Amino acid sequence: ALLGTGLCHVGAQAECFGQDARTSPPVAVFNWSAQLVEETYTNITQKCWEYFVDLMRNVTTSELCEWKVISRPYSLLQACLEDWADQLCYGYPNALAEQYIFQSHHRYFHNCTLEHRVYFDPPEDVLLAMIIAPICLIPFLVTLVIWRSKDGKAQP
């Protein structure tokens, strides 16, 4: 029922348009105070969170780290937070949306580890040695080739 209301707060430079701008001509909507927009977004994001928690009740503990299982609820949470921020011209990402995303990770996914080994860059001193060694070797090899070619004798 709340979808498509497209509310903007007072003082916004750009006007917000309804969600169905693809199918119908855009129509500017009501201007609300920033406090009312924030309060509305806070209430709506709580509903997004409650819906996410309800979806996660169907996920077993052993499935919590399987992306195929949790991608739908997680994506719906993110979409809900982002879409309503857009609808209300609230700005996304925002602190409240980030709080819900962090809360989801803390509550459901904190024990998930990567199955595959993650490769990191070597320390700077090792990386520097790996870069400088071939560069220093090139002049030595060029000098060796020139020195050996001055001999004039054919090598078998």
Side-chain angles (χ1 to χ4, degrees):
L2 295 174
L3 290 174
T5 56
L7 306 170
C8 260
H9 64 283
V10 175
Q13 294 295 333
E15 292 180 343
C16 280
F17 300 99
Q19 178 70 17
D20 297 327
R22 298 179 302 272
T23 57
S24 60
V27 177
V29 293
F30 305 103
N31 285 330
W32 282 13
S33 70
Q35 181 182 358
L36 186 56
V37 169
E38 186 170 349
E39 186 178 315
T40 302
Y41 185 69
T42 301
N43 293 335
I44 290 172
T45 56
Q46 180 62 37
K47 298 295 182 192
C48 295
W49 174 253
E50 290 169 3
Y51 182 63
F52 172 74
V53 169
D54 189 51
L55 290 175
M56 291 302 288
R57 283 191 185 114
N58 300 326
V59 178
T60 64
T61 306
S62 61
E63 296 175 323
L64 279 177
C65 296
E66 293 182 34
W67 181 246
K68 291 177 184 177
V69 176
I70 58 110
S71 64
R72 183 175 175 267
Y74 188 83
S75 297
L76 287 173
L77 173 64
Q78 182 195 8
C80 184
L81 297 170
E82 186 173 356
D83 290 346
W84 278 106
D86 287 345
Q87 286 283 328
L88 299 170
C89 296
Y90 190 66
Y92 188 88
N94 57 61
L96 189 57
E98 287 180 4
Q99 177 185 344
Y100 281 114
I101 296 296
F102 287 138
Q103 187 174 343
S104 72
H105 284 258
H106 180 72
R107 183 169 176 178
Y108 295 103
F109 315 122
H110 67 280
N111 285 331
C112 296
T113 58
L114 297 174
E115 293 177 11
H116 305 290
R117 185 174 178 178
V118 178
Y119 296 102
F120 297 103
D121 288 338
E124 281 189 34
D125 53 343
V126 174
L127 187 61
L128 191 59
M130 291 172 66
I131 293 171
I132 290 179
I135 293 172
C136 292
L137 192 58
I138 292 171
F140 172 73
L141 292 175
V142 169
T143 304
L144 184 63
V145 167
I146 293 172
W147 178 63
R148 294 294 286 170
S149 66
K150 282 188 178 183
D151 201 5
K153 297 179 185 175
Q155 298 292 326

